[in-house]
Amino acid sequence: MEEIINKLRKSKQKVRIVFNMIKKEVDLENIIEYKKELEELTALSKIDEEITEIIYLILDNKNSQK
């Protein structure tokens, strides 16, 4: 179970790294020109949230089995 959580946490860190890389490329003053990048950021943000939810579900399940 710990191995799964650790892999999810590492995946979450990788998603966050890519998110920040894309975010640095987006010029907020000309945000309209960055539709593709904004879609990518939105998708990465959703993935990040889902990974977090999975981690909490695993932890909750683990704690309820004790």
Side-chain angles (χ1 to χ4, degrees):
M1 191 70 81
E2 286 297 318
E3 184 178 338
I4 295 170
I5 293 172
N6 288 334
K7 285 187 179 210
L8 285 168
R9 286 183 174 149
K10 286 179 184 177
S11 295
K12 187 173 168 55
Q13 290 172 349
K14 290 176 185 175
V15 167
R16 189 52 68 183
I17 289 169
V18 174
F19 180 91
N20 288 331
M21 286 173 32
I22 295 171
K23 187 177 173 185
K24 286 179 185 177
E25 293 180 18
V26 175
D27 177 13
L28 296 178
E29 292 179 14
N30 297 316
I31 204 159
I32 295 172
E33 297 175 15
Y34 292 96
K35 182 180 178 192
K36 179 184 171 204
E37 287 83 356
L38 292 173
E39 289 171 354
E40 291 170 346
L41 289 171
T42 302
L44 287 169
S45 188
K46 288 180 183 179
I47 292 168
D48 184 65
E49 288 175 17
E50 288 178 12
I51 292 172
T52 301
E53 287 179 30
I54 292 168
I55 290 171
Y56 284 123
L57 286 170
I58 292 169
L59 290 173
D60 287 344
N61 186 26
K62 183 178 174 184
N63 289 335
S64 68
Q65 290 179 356
K66 289 182 178 180

